[in-house]
Amino acid sequence: MGRAKEKSGPLARRPDNSAFKQQRLPAWSPMLTANTVLPFFYLLSVVCMLLGVWLLLTVQSTQEKKLNYTKHGDCNLCFEMRQNVSNAGQTCSCKVEFSIDRTFKGDVFFYYGLKNFHQNLRRYMDSRDDEQTVGRIKNLKSPSVYCEPFQTVENEVPIAPCGAVANSMFNDSFTLTYHTAKGRDVPVPLLRKGLTWYTDKNIKFRNPKTDNLTLAQVFEGTRPPPFWQKPVYELDPHDPINNGFINEDLIVWMREAAFPNFKKLYGILNRADAPFTNGLPKGNYSIDISYNFPVQYFHGEKEVVLTTLTWFGGQNHFLPIAYLVTSSLILLMAVVLTVAWWKFGKDGKNMKD
Amino acid sequence: RKLRANDREYNRSFKYATNAIKTSKYNFFTFLPLNLFEQFQRIANAYFLVLLVLQIIPEISSLSWFTTVVPLVLVLTVTAAKDATDDIVSTFHNISFWICVRFQVWWCLVRLRVRCEPPNNRLDRFIGTLTYGGQKYPLDNEKILLRGCTLRNTEWCYGLVLFAGQESKLMQNCGKSTFKRTSIDRLMNVLVLCIFGFLVFMCTILAIGNYIWEIKNGSNFTVFLPREKDNKEGFSAFLTFWSYIIILNTVVPISLYVSVEIIRLGNSFYIDWDRKMYHSRSDTPAEARTTTLNEELGQIKYVFSDKTGTLTQNIMIFNKCSINGKSYGDVYDYTGQRHDVSEPVDFSFNPLADGRFIFYDHSLVEAVKLENLEVHAFFRLLALCHTVMAEEKKEGELFYQAQSPDEGALVTAARNFGFVFRSRTPDSISIVEMGNERSYELLAILDFNNVRKRMSVIVRSPEGKLSLLCKGADTIIYERLHQSCSKLMDVTTEHLNEFAGEGLRTLALAYKDLDEEYFRQWKQRHHEASISLEDKESQLDELYEEIEKDLLLLGATAIEDKLQDGVPQTIEQLAKADIKIWVLTGDKQETAENIGYSCNLLQEEMNDVFIVSGHSPEEVRQELRNAQNSMKPDATVNSLLFPEEMGKSVNVIKDEVADGEYGLVINGHSLAYALESSMELDFLRTACLCKAVICCRVTPLQKAQVVELVKKYKKAVTLAIGDGANDVSMIKAAHIGVGISGQEGMQAVLSSDYSFAQFRFLQRLLLVHGRWSYLRMCKFLRYFFYKNFTFTFVHIWFAFFCGFSAQTVYDEGFITLYNLMYTALPVLGMSLFDQDVNDVWSFQHPQLYIPGQLNLYFSKKAFFKCAVHSCYSSLVLFLIPYGALQDTVRDDGRDLADYQSFALLTQTCLLFAVTIQLGLEMSYWTAVNTFFVLGSLAMYFAVTFTMYSNGMFLVVPSAFPFIGTARNSLNQPNVWLTIVLTSILCVLPVVTYRFLLIQLCPTINDKVQHARSPTPPPPPRRARIRRTSSRRSGYAFSHAQGYGDLVTSGRFLRRPAVSWSSGFPQVGRTTTGFSPMGRSAGYSPTGRPQNPKVADVEGTSLQMYRTMTDPPL
């Protein structure tokens, strides 16, 4: 408004004749006409149909075995025992048996699943300290207040890793055994590595700088979360590198699930040796469970899932079916629109002024 | 109030207002605190301040403080910047205004004292006393000059300033300067309140949900997540309520208000920039002086227009004439085709000619030069029969002071054709006839009035010939013609019809020679009648009637009342757009009516034009009722019921439809009654039934009252347009005031919201800019609410899965930037560039304007539709990602169903869905729009990848916990298939619904857009509207009765600035014994100077006119 125009003369205040100022910018004005909408609908319907069928076939090609072991068989005893908090220190194991009808071809993934466990509660999710788990010494010694009430134990001793998320870490462990047709028991080798996102393992979670100290020395002066039996630097007794904040089980747990029912990766079938080079052969299996995690508090359930994967992920029928439903919806709409257009709009009678 | 002249100290002791008028609000130092204070008074900003406080409480804070602070600071900054510029601009205007009203101060050593009434707004009344030398003199309205007055007939006068600045009557009459808000603004406020209500309601529901969940599940979960300080469920629910208030705050988006301001500003700039609203002759571009009312321009239902200077240029031009059966004025070439352009006539032969007068028909001037007697008689009549005053400051520089511009035009025409009216005294008129000075004795003026519609003079030529010269409305003159001219009548009638058909104002001229003896008798009777006490008027009328008969027709004149360019077309266009135009003018009824016809407002085809001019409330009421009954014969019952209805609760009068087209003309004195509270509804009903309404003789305040009346009872948007100081009140009263930046000073412009140079720009302002602004604003609001509701509602669905714990669905960074960055520019781009059809089509189909008047594009209903649509979209946007991710893993078996991936997926789906929705809304994709849309999406990905990058995380781990999420989930086909599916499902119903609407019940927009596609826009029509009307104008449209009396009384004859005796040489005047008596007459105490009779001289005499045997060349 306060522009000072340098021009003078009779037309000094004449506005510029630019396409922008005169609102004459060249433009494309699309319209919803029968010529564009109807073909588009039919085409979209066909595309969705094909996509849905393809996805469905892909999903059908995967195999999955789900076992709810919450109160399964002798696990019921453990379930009962865990109901009492005073027994928390005692170990309890149970065994679940199952069989596979068809060979699980290719990579087989072993998941543990929880139902009705709300990892997505706001206060729960906030109760962690990313600065501590990324290895900041300062936060190791004085964790963020967000970890409250799992920030420190008595006498201001810091908890590492602090917070409700770490404290509630799933601590059942599983041993999968293959019972061959000849009656031989073959332990199924599970890789307990490569379970996490690369970024989590390498960037988001780091141990504090060791400077030639052992992990135990680094974590000196901290306490493990109250529910843990072992300190964080002894989580994996078999692999010393897989300890501290970069323990994969911890990282997997710390990636909070979006919904109360979720499954998390426990291990991947090691296909190095027979008879598992092609995957999981058909036959009878059993899982030895060290039953530690109490679920009765939240009316939860625990399960293990064995599954093969495709490019599309695991056995989730939702998207294929959704695509097929959408496809038929579009087709229905397209037919309705065609009829409407044929009856009313085609001859342009309504369009006359 | 007391005043003393030249006594500064005394006057100061009263603290009267100075003449400066100040409207700026801030200065440099007070700006920041004052502006912030003012901004936080706005409900929305205050709300966000409260939110910010809530977020600081850790138990409640479901979002980080920056999600609110960043937008708030941005909004406050933008608004403050805008306020600052506005303030600077208004200060600038003040200064210029001050300069143009500065008074010249004269010092005079007079000891005067004035006592007068306190400042008020009555223009027609003033009471005071002036004390001078111990003597008291009354002061009344006749003796004061109002601010803005122009001195006529004198160069200067002595005065004493009584009221200045805000206290002047004019400023008092300006009406309160109220802050104008648009109806969309008001609706928005209502909606925001509704949203608040909805927000509280939803949060309550969610808090109850939380309570139930805490009892059922949460209490069991306390092992893993102990309650803080052992809070009970109830308290947890209470905290959840506030947490959800914070999370769902985006339903009342803070950026809404600032975006609205930006859009309005942009659309205002388009008005400033529009070349088609630039008037090159006066070098005036259109100006949007207010930047907050644009969309209201697209909803105007009533236009109140001033007449003079707004519809007309107030210039009358002698255009054509018919003399003795021959028509002059049109130029034909050899083939008989009419020419539009040719050389104007050269009047250089006449040293007294007015250089501005232009005439194209050379044959007329040739006829004059050939001394055609009829032509001479014609112009002599024009030079003699009028009430114009002449002023000759320097020799040869004549200035006419015509009370009506028509007369001025006629006398000027005569002047140029060699019959120069030079001066008059009460008893004589002196003219220069083809270079010869002649003085005619003026024996009587038979004055004009509305009934007579003619005026006559009786003059004695220098040769002693006595004649009556008459001009008047053709119908009236024709009734009084001698039979001998019946043939000439036929020819002239033809010409008159032709003239009237072209919208010219016609007059017939006739004369008659008088018998000396008869006239002496008549004069005697006239004298007796004029001194008789009873029934003087009718006696005089009878006398006039008696002498004005058996006239001989001379010809007819055609005057063009120069309407501004394009006024009839504009009015026709606006009428097609269903905009009602009311003309409110201070002019007389005839003038107003005539203009009404010539600018297409009143039409010959109208069933009836009602004229209300009653002088008592009963009369006026009856006239209004009669009009109502004839327009809606079946509505009688209704109007009988009316008083009861009206008593209590008539808030809005619905539009009614009359069975035909009608016009209404109401007089100022009747309007005064009609505007009384007992009758205003009757008046309004009647007026609204009519297609055109003209109020004449109205005062400035009445103008405002009429506007207020319509505003009060009609739920319609009003616009007032005017150019003069007397339009200021109306301009301020109307929803939108438009000032014509023309000749009449700047008062109207200064109080207006928009200003431009020509009335015809109004159609572009309304039909193009207004319509687009409205359309854009509505599209913006609909889309804006849609995108924010959709964004927010997802949280509600997620609440059912996260134990009502007030967990957000999206990343906090996304929440902060969603409105500011990811979706701001595309929607702003749409609201600044969108056009459903271009300007040519908007003009071609003025009906496109109607949806705006009916509030179709954005209303509570439209808002509700938005909310339902959002509800659907948000369900899709939550459920599809939920279904797709639930129990799903990446293709390498790792996590994909984690919260962070879900958040990323949902927000990406959301962004795609709302962007595609925007694409559906947008009907005008410029390169800029495309850039904005694609750029925003690109920006989203760029920002997301940056925020989720290793570097950012390692700098501040706690602020960027989403590290790696983008890389790890956006490479999954699963995720992209979900995005595509949600997009399809969000768009599908919209496209279907719109397509069905277009097919089944297309709106006018659809039709025009449909018509647009195959054919190029038609060329704009240039055809001139031809009136086929046979109506002819009445006489002297803006003539006032009684002006003749003033002329003959000599009261109005002022002394010219340059005295004749000194500045005007006697040479060159054919002395016929004439001396400048008029001057002395002006000063004679009796007002009746003794005028020496002009000696009878032989020569041409008037009687020669009539015996035209051989036709002129």
Side-chain angles (χ1 to χ4, degrees):
Chain A
M1 276 187 229
R3 294 164 300 153
K5 283 255 168 137
E6 306 304 320
K7 281 190 285 181
S8 63
L11 301 176
R13 297 169 66 199
R14 182 165 65 172
D16 301 336
N17 191 15
S18 63
F20 166 65
K21 289 190 173 180
Q22 303 307 319
Q23 307 198 63
R24 282 188 275 104
L25 287 177
W28 174 58
S29 302
M31 272 192 305
L32 295 179
T33 61
N35 290 342
T36 50
V37 172
L38 296 182
F40 177 74
F41 266 50
Y42 284 110
L43 189 74
L44 197 64
S45 169
V46 170
V47 169
C48 286
M49 176 82 71
L50 294 176
L51 210 56
V53 170
W54 182 32
L55 290 182
L56 195 62
L57 291 178
T58 310
V59 169
Q60 293 292 7
S61 72
T62 61
Q63 284 163 288
E64 190 180 69
K65 185 78 194 171
K66 276 188 180 172
L67 288 168
N68 188 327
Y69 68 91
T70 319
K71 299 181 199 172
H72 189 276
D74 56 350
C75 288
N76 201 20
L77 292 172
C78 294
F79 178 78
E80 300 295 335
M81 193 177 117
R82 290 282 168 244
Q83 220 148 18
N84 194 339
V85 186
S86 59
N87 297 333
Q90 296 177 30
T91 56
C92 178
S93 21
C94 58
K95 183 181 262 186
V96 176
E97 292 179 345
F98 66 98
S99 64
I100 291 175
D101 309 331
R102 272 176 34 224
T103 307
F104 278 41
K105 279 194 189 123
D107 285 329
V108 180
F109 296 81
F110 188 104
Y111 294 90
Y112 63 88
L114 283 175
K115 289 202 166 139
N116 206 26
F117 188 93
H118 282 80
Q119 267 201 313
N120 58 9
L121 299 180
R122 178 168 60 85
R123 285 198 305 118
Y124 179 87
M125 289 186 78
D126 287 348
S127 186
R128 57 189 287 164
D129 186 357
D130 284 337
E131 304 209 24
Q132 190 190 46
T133 48
V134 83
R136 302 259 158 110
I137 296 290
K138 182 177 142 280
N139 291 65
L140 184 69
K141 301 296 179 197
S142 57
S144 155
V145 285
Y146 281 105
C147 290
E148 204 51 69
F150 303 105
Q151 183 189 11
T152 53
V153 286
E154 67 277 8
N155 306 326
E156 301 295 308
V157 181
I159 295 175
C162 73
V165 187
N167 181 52
S168 59
M169 191 173 126
F170 185 80
N171 53 0
D172 283 7
S173 55
F174 309 94
T175 322
L176 184 60
T177 314
Y178 174 46
H179 306 289
T180 57
K182 296 161 193 155
R184 195 160 57 91
D185 290 357
V186 182
V188 179
L190 287 181
L191 288 173
R192 301 292 314 283
K193 275 188 179 174
L195 313 179
T196 62
W197 291 3
Y198 174 85
T199 46
D200 282 356
K201 175 89 178 169
N202 294 286
I203 292 132
K204 196 171 181 182
F205 291 88
R206 288 174 179 181
N207 278 326
K209 279 243 166 55
T210 49
D211 293 331
N212 298 329
L213 299 175
T214 60
L215 266 183
Q217 286 167 315
V218 171
F219 281 97
E220 205 175 273
T222 65
R223 290 279 175 80
F227 287 8
W228 286 19
Q229 275 94 37
K230 292 179 280 189
V232 68
Y233 47 86
E234 285 170 9
L235 280 175
D236 189 346
H238 312 292
D239 185 357
I241 304 169
N242 190 22
N243 270 318
F245 293 145
I246 56 170
N247 176 271
E248 300 222 355
D249 287 335
L250 175 67
I251 295 174
V252 165
W253 180 255
M254 293 294 277
R255 183 150 285 283
E256 301 113 332
F259 304 104
N261 302 340
F262 58 88
K263 63 182 183 194
K264 286 185 181 293
L265 192 54
Y266 182 78
I268 304 167
L269 175 69
N270 187 349
R271 287 162 59 195
D273 303 312
F276 306 112
T277 44
N278 285 330
L280 221 49
K282 65 176 182 184
N284 293 326
Y285 292 85
S286 68
I287 305 175
D288 291 299
I289 300 163
S290 159
Y291 200 113
N292 301 316
F293 197 74
V295 291
Q296 59 279 7
Y297 297 126
F298 52 92
H299 308 300
E301 287 177 29
K302 301 195 279 192
E303 63 181 7
V304 287
V305 181
L306 282 166
T307 182
T308 62
L309 297 180
T310 61
W311 59 270
F312 186 63
Q315 198 167 67
N316 183 351
H317 287 90
F318 179 82
L319 269 187
I321 289 171
Y323 264 100
L324 289 175
V325 170
T326 305
S327 159
S328 36
L329 265 181
I330 299 173
L331 191 67
L332 183 73
M333 299 279 189
V335 170
V336 169
L337 292 193
T338 313
V339 170
W341 170 70
W342 193 266
K343 283 234 163 196
F344 300 99
K346 191 181 151 221
D347 43 5
K349 239 186 298 167
N350 285 3
M351 286 295 168
K352 297 277 164 21
D353 253 330
Chain B
R1 164 173 282 229
K2 297 174 191 166
L3 281 170
R4 279 189 206 163
N6 305 321
D7 192 342
R8 203 169 264 257
E9 295 308 313
Y10 178 81
N11 289 344
R12 259 193 198 154
S13 62
F14 295 99
K15 295 207 164 57
Y16 295 142
T18 65
N19 205 24
I21 296 162
K22 178 174 180 292
T23 55
S24 70
K25 274 190 292 195
Y26 310 112
N27 66 37
F28 184 78
F29 297 102
T30 58
F31 178 74
L32 196 67
L34 271 185
N35 185 263
L36 277 183
F37 178 69
E38 207 156 273
Q39 287 205 45
F40 279 117
Q41 281 181 333
R42 292 180 200 164
I43 182 162
N45 291 351
Y47 164 71
F48 286 102
L49 202 62
V50 171
L51 267 186
L52 195 60
V53 172
L54 281 181
Q55 287 189 355
I56 292 168
I57 305 170
E59 283 82 10
I60 293 172
S61 173
S62 42
L63 284 175
S64 301
W65 54 271
F66 60 80
T67 52
T68 306
V69 168
V70 174
L72 186 66
V73 167
L74 201 81
V75 164
L76 292 181
T77 317
V78 172
T79 316
K82 187 174 168 288
D83 286 353
T85 43
D86 280 359
D87 203 52
I88 289 164
V89 169
S90 76
T91 315
F92 169 74
H93 282 307
N94 286 341
I95 293 163
S96 55
F97 179 56
W98 164 238
I99 290 166
C100 67
V101 298
R102 199 169 40 161
F103 281 89
Q104 192 119 26
V105 179
W106 292 88
W107 281 103
C108 50
L109 295 164
V110 193
R111 295 189 60 83
L112 284 174
R113 277 185 195 185
V114 174
R115 287 173 65 93
C116 64
E117 60 185 9
N120 60 47
N121 62 4
R122 298 195 55 174
L123 294 179
D124 57 343
R125 205 188 73 128
F126 181 80
I127 301 167
T129 54
L130 180 147
T131 318
Y132 172 56
Q135 199 79 19
K136 281 193 173 180
Y137 302 91
L139 293 176
D140 62 12
N141 203 36
E142 301 272 288
K143 297 188 177 64
I144 61 167
L145 288 177
L146 300 175
R147 183 178 198 149
C149 281
T150 314
L151 291 183
R152 289 264 169 99
N153 300 333
T154 179
E155 301 238 296
W156 49 267
C157 67
Y158 287 109
L160 177 70
V161 176
L162 297 175
F163 307 124
Q166 285 295 351
E167 291 179 346
S168 66
K169 289 202 175 232
L170 200 90
M171 294 309 288
Q172 296 269 318
N173 226 308
C174 283
K176 260 182 280 150
S177 171
T178 47
F179 182 66
K180 291 183 182 176
R181 308 198 69 126
T182 66
S183 48
I184 293 257
D185 262 332
R186 288 187 291 272
L187 178 60
M188 228 153 68
N189 283 344
V190 172
L191 292 182
V192 165
L193 282 182
C194 292
I195 295 172
F196 274 135
F198 172 79
L199 178 68
V200 171
F201 173 73
M202 269 332 287
C203 290
T204 313
I205 298 262
L206 292 171
I208 292 171
N210 180 259
Y211 181 74
I212 295 168
W213 189 88
E214 285 289 339
I215 287 176
K216 276 184 68 184
N217 288 317
S219 51
N220 304 322
F221 203 70
T222 47
V223 178
F224 299 113
L225 189 65
R227 294 228 172 94
E228 283 169 49
K229 304 178 192 102
D230 292 322
N231 293 332
K232 288 277 172 287
E233 292 88 353
F235 191 68
S236 160
F238 173 75
L239 291 182
T240 306
F241 174 82
W242 293 107
S243 298
Y244 269 114
I245 291 268
I246 294 172
I247 287 189
L248 302 184
N249 81 69
T250 40
V251 278
V252 192
I254 189 167
S255 51
L256 174 71
Y257 287 92
V258 80
S259 306
V260 164
E261 298 284 302
I262 291 172
I263 292 164
R264 285 176 178 159
L265 193 68
N267 283 312
S268 303
F269 273 122
Y270 283 133
I271 293 174
D272 294 348
W273 288 334
D274 196 338
R275 269 199 165 198
K276 289 180 182 150
M277 285 165 64
Y278 165 79
H279 191 233
S280 52
R281 211 174 315 148
S282 58
D283 190 26
T284 317
E287 190 189 352
R289 301 174 42 83
T290 320
T291 55
T292 53
L293 301 172
N294 296 44
E295 75 270 5
E296 196 122 272
L297 287 175
Q299 301 185 275
I300 305 289
K301 182 78 188 167
Y302 290 88
V303 167
F304 299 92
S305 174
D306 176 39
K307 194 216 82 183
T308 314
T310 305
L311 296 176
T312 66
Q313 301 177 351
N314 209 16
I315 299 172
M316 307 287 169
I317 290 174
F318 179 82
N319 196 297
K320 281 175 192 171
C321 60
S322 158
I323 304 173
N324 203 27
K326 186 170 186 331
S327 165
Y328 299 94
D330 283 328
V331 184
Y332 297 92
D333 64 11
Y334 301 110
T335 57
Q337 292 287 312
R338 186 138 59 162
H339 259 288
D340 275 346
V341 187
S342 67
E343 277 292 296
V345 173
D346 178 21
F347 287 109
S348 59
F349 69 91
N350 181 357
L352 288 169
D354 184 344
R356 286 164 299 179
F357 182 82
I358 293 171
F359 200 77
Y360 291 95
D361 192 350
H362 292 258
S363 61
L364 184 57
V365 77
E366 274 161 28
V368 172
K369 283 179 182 167
L370 288 169
E371 310 215 337
N372 182 313
L373 289 176
E374 290 88 353
V375 175
H376 277 207
F378 179 88
F379 285 117
R380 191 177 294 120
L381 191 154
L382 289 183
L384 290 171
C385 179
H386 56 78
T387 55
V388 173
M389 310 274 184
E391 195 182 346
E392 194 163 0
K393 291 181 182 169
K394 250 164 68 186
E395 188 181 0
E397 279 185 26
L398 275 171
F399 290 97
Y400 291 141
Q401 293 282 352
Q403 203 268 347
S404 92
D406 298 68
E407 283 208 313
L410 292 174
V411 178
T412 305
R415 168 183 172 181
N416 275 45
F417 284 103
F419 290 79
V420 188
F421 163 65
R422 196 144 196 188
S423 64
R424 71 157 72 238
T425 70
D427 299 334
S428 72
I429 298 170
S430 120
I431 64 173
V432 178
E433 258 176 49
M434 302 305 288
N436 305 319
E437 172 107 25
R438 289 161 63 87
S439 178
Y440 287 80
E441 191 185 347
L442 179 59
L443 299 171
I445 292 181
L446 283 56
D447 201 4
F448 169 87
N449 73 27
N450 284 341
V451 184
R452 285 165 43 77
K453 293 191 172 156
R454 62 188 183 273
M455 83 165 278
S456 304
V457 293
I458 298 171
V459 293
R460 198 195 302 275
S461 74
E463 291 81 17
K465 194 72 214 167
L466 195 63
S467 18
L468 178 143
L469 310 175
C470 180
K471 66 177 179 186
D474 42 21
T475 45
I476 304 281
I477 300 280
Y478 270 37
E479 289 165 10
R480 288 163 181 78
L481 289 181
H482 194 262
Q483 301 134 340
S484 64
C485 26
S486 60
K487 224 175 169 184
L488 181 58
M489 270 168 72
D490 292 343
V491 183
T492 309
T493 307
E494 220 167 274
H495 292 158
L496 281 169
N497 287 342
E498 200 177 296
F499 297 158
E502 290 170 31
L504 302 173
R505 295 145 65 106
T506 55
L507 280 184
L509 309 186
Y511 75 100
K512 171 188 186 181
D513 288 335
L514 291 176
D515 181 58
E516 197 75 44
E517 181 54 32
Y518 169 74
F519 175 69
R520 204 181 51 75
Q521 275 181 20
W522 183 85
K523 183 82 182 166
Q524 182 61 34
R525 282 188 288 152
H526 178 253
H527 180 71
E528 280 161 16
S530 58
I531 56 171
S532 78
L533 291 176
E534 48 189 81
D535 218 11
K536 176 177 145 191
E537 295 291 318
S538 63
Q539 282 191 36
L540 280 178
D541 272 350
E542 262 172 50
L543 276 173
Y544 291 167
E545 200 68 39
E546 180 197 317
I547 199 165
E548 289 172 323
K549 67 180 183 197
D550 292 336
L551 302 172
L552 298 169
L553 185 63
L554 256 182
T557 61
I559 295 172
E560 192 176 351
D561 176 9
K562 276 288 228 187
L563 285 176
Q564 287 186 10
D565 293 340
V567 166
Q569 290 90 333
T570 304
I571 288 183
E572 193 196 355
Q573 284 280 71
L574 295 183
K576 276 193 201 159
D578 209 13
I579 297 172
K580 300 240 166 95
I581 299 172
W582 294 25
V583 173
L584 310 176
T585 171
D587 283 318
K588 282 150 291 294
Q589 184 187 320
E590 285 74 24
T591 323
E593 229 178 298
N594 243 297
I595 292 293
Y597 277 102
S598 58
C599 66
N600 243 11
L601 195 60
L602 299 175
Q603 283 155 349
E604 203 60 32
E605 302 88 66
M606 281 183 165
N607 304 37
D608 202 355
V609 174
F610 305 107
I611 293 175
V612 178
S613 54
H615 282 273
S616 70
E618 293 74 32
E619 268 179 73
V620 175
R621 188 189 296 275
Q622 201 48 49
E623 280 173 321
L624 289 173
R625 288 272 164 90
N626 288 346
Q628 253 176 55
N629 291 349
S630 55
M631 280 187 284
K632 273 191 90 155
D634 50 327
T636 34
V637 186
N638 211 338
S639 71
L640 284 177
L641 287 174
F642 219 63
E644 286 95 60
E645 271 180 57
M646 176 187 90
K648 301 262 182 320
S649 60
V650 177
N651 292 324
V652 175
I653 297 186
K654 289 205 185 68
D655 283 331
E656 295 169 292
V657 185
D659 55 355
E661 293 192 343
Y662 296 91
L664 177 75
V665 178
I666 185 163
N667 250 305
H669 49 83
S670 312
L671 191 62
Y673 299 117
L675 287 176
E676 279 168 11
S677 57
S678 60
M679 218 188 293
E680 56 180 22
L681 285 173
D682 265 327
F683 167 59
L684 191 63
R685 266 176 57 116
T686 314
C688 290
L689 278 168
C690 294
K691 236 189 122 193
V693 178
I694 296 177
C695 305
C696 34
R697 278 274 173 220
V698 293
T699 65
L701 215 56
Q702 273 181 328
K703 288 184 177 185
Q705 282 172 343
V706 172
V707 175
E708 292 287 359
L709 179 69
V710 174
K711 265 172 79 177
K712 190 172 161 196
Y713 291 110
K714 285 274 170 184
K715 236 184 155 184
V717 184
T718 57
L719 178 146
I721 179 167
D723 70 324
N726 56 350
D727 304 316
V728 167
S729 60
M730 155 172 103
I731 284 174
K732 286 194 172 173
H735 290 105
I736 292 196
V738 177
I740 298 283
S741 40
Q743 304 85 349
E744 272 205 57
M746 293 293 284
Q747 293 274 12
V749 171
L750 283 174
S751 43
S752 67
D753 305 307
Y754 299 89
S755 72
F756 42 71
Q758 294 276 303
F759 181 80
R760 66 168 188 273
F761 296 152
L762 185 65
Q763 60 172 332
R764 193 167 171 86
L765 184 72
L766 300 187
L767 299 186
V768 177
H769 287 285
R771 209 176 70 79
W772 281 346
S773 293
Y774 174 68
L775 184 84
R776 289 167 183 174
M777 184 58 71
C778 293
K779 274 193 173 183
F780 168 80
L781 289 175
R782 284 198 313 244
Y783 177 74
F784 202 86
F785 282 119
Y786 167 75
K787 85 177 165 76
N788 278 290
F789 285 176
T790 309
F791 173 83
T792 311
F793 287 175
V794 178
H795 289 299
I796 298 175
W797 311 131
F798 186 57
F800 290 88
F801 291 82
C802 68
F804 304 93
S805 64
Q807 177 61 359
T808 59
V809 179
Y810 321 107
D811 167 25
E812 281 182 356
F814 182 78
I815 293 176
T816 315
L817 297 178
Y818 176 71
N819 267 323
L820 292 183
M821 216 184 234
Y822 304 146
T823 58
L825 280 183
V827 66
L828 274 184
M830 175 179 80
S831 331
L832 289 177
F833 295 108
D834 206 52
Q835 314 179 354
D836 52 348
V837 292
N838 66 17
D839 50 349
V840 179
W841 283 94
S842 303
F843 280 134
Q844 192 71 20
H845 298 278
Q847 306 91 308
L848 286 170
Y849 192 80
I850 295 172
Q853 297 168 335
L854 303 176
N855 258 322
L856 287 188
Y857 293 156
F858 190 76
S859 56
K860 283 178 190 149
K861 193 175 148 209
F863 174 77
F864 184 72
K865 272 194 204 163
C866 272
V868 170
H869 182 200
S870 298
C871 205
Y872 165 78
S873 293
S874 61
L875 261 180
V876 168
L877 285 170
F878 176 74
L879 290 181
I880 301 291
Y882 166 69
L885 285 197
Q886 166 80 334
D887 213 23
T888 297
V889 292
R890 273 158 56 108
D891 53 3
D892 56 4
R894 294 167 195 175
D895 232 341
L896 189 61
D898 63 303
Y899 167 77
Q900 293 184 341
S901 299
F902 172 72
L904 179 71
L905 173 61
T906 317
Q907 67 199 32
T908 311
C909 287
L910 171 77
L911 204 61
F912 272 92
V914 295
T915 305
I916 293 173
Q917 179 65 31
L918 179 85
L920 280 179
E921 299 282 346
M922 201 143 59
S923 47
Y924 195 75
W925 285 81
T926 65
V928 183
N929 290 108
T930 317
F931 175 75
F932 279 171
V933 169
L934 299 181
S936 288
L937 274 183
M939 175 79 95
Y940 165 69
F941 284 107
V943 170
T944 304
F945 273 94
T946 309
M947 286 206 304
Y948 298 176
S949 67
N950 304 349
M952 297 299 273
F953 174 78
L954 289 176
V955 175
V956 196
S958 54
F960 301 99
F962 273 62
I963 176 193
T965 312
R967 276 169 284 171
N968 281 295
S969 58
L970 288 181
N971 64 359
Q972 294 299 307
N974 226 321
V975 165
W976 288 102
L977 285 170
T978 313
I979 294 172
V980 170
L981 187 66
T982 50
S983 300
I984 291 175
L985 283 175
C986 280
V987 165
L988 188 68
V990 183
V991 175
T992 311
Y993 176 68
R994 293 204 181 160
F995 186 79
L996 278 179
L997 271 193
I998 292 175
Q999 298 304 322
L1000 300 183
C1001 39
T1003 61
I1004 174 73
N1005 279 50
D1006 299 328
K1007 288 175 186 169
V1008 172
Q1009 288 190 11
H1010 185 263
R1012 180 192 60 183
S1013 50
T1015 49
R1021 284 169 308 161
R1022 285 247 167 264
R1024 182 175 165 185
I1025 293 182
R1026 286 209 159 257
R1027 290 207 298 133
T1028 50
S1029 147
S1030 61
R1031 181 197 156 81
R1032 296 194 211 111
S1033 55
Y1035 166 55
F1037 320 89
S1038 41
H1039 203 305
Q1041 181 176 4
Y1043 208 65
D1045 289 343
L1046 292 176
V1047 168
T1048 49
S1049 76
R1051 256 180 68 195
F1052 264 60
L1053 298 178
R1054 299 285 183 233
R1055 181 163 59 165
V1058 180
S1059 163
W1060 261 8
S1061 43
S1062 62
F1064 201 91
Q1066 295 291 320
V1067 283
R1069 310 177 89 204
T1070 48
T1071 34
T1072 50
F1074 179 82
S1075 59
M1077 292 302 167
R1079 204 163 23 103
S1080 52
Y1083 290 95
S1084 100
T1086 59
R1088 279 273 164 196
Q1090 54 285 59
N1091 199 18
K1093 292 274 180 259
V1094 177
D1096 285 6
V1097 186
E1098 284 179 291
T1100 50
S1101 76
L1102 287 166
Q1103 81 209 1
M1104 289 183 71
Y1105 301 157
R1106 57 166 305 196
T1107 49
M1108 297 296 150
T1109 41
D1110 38 356
L1113 291 170

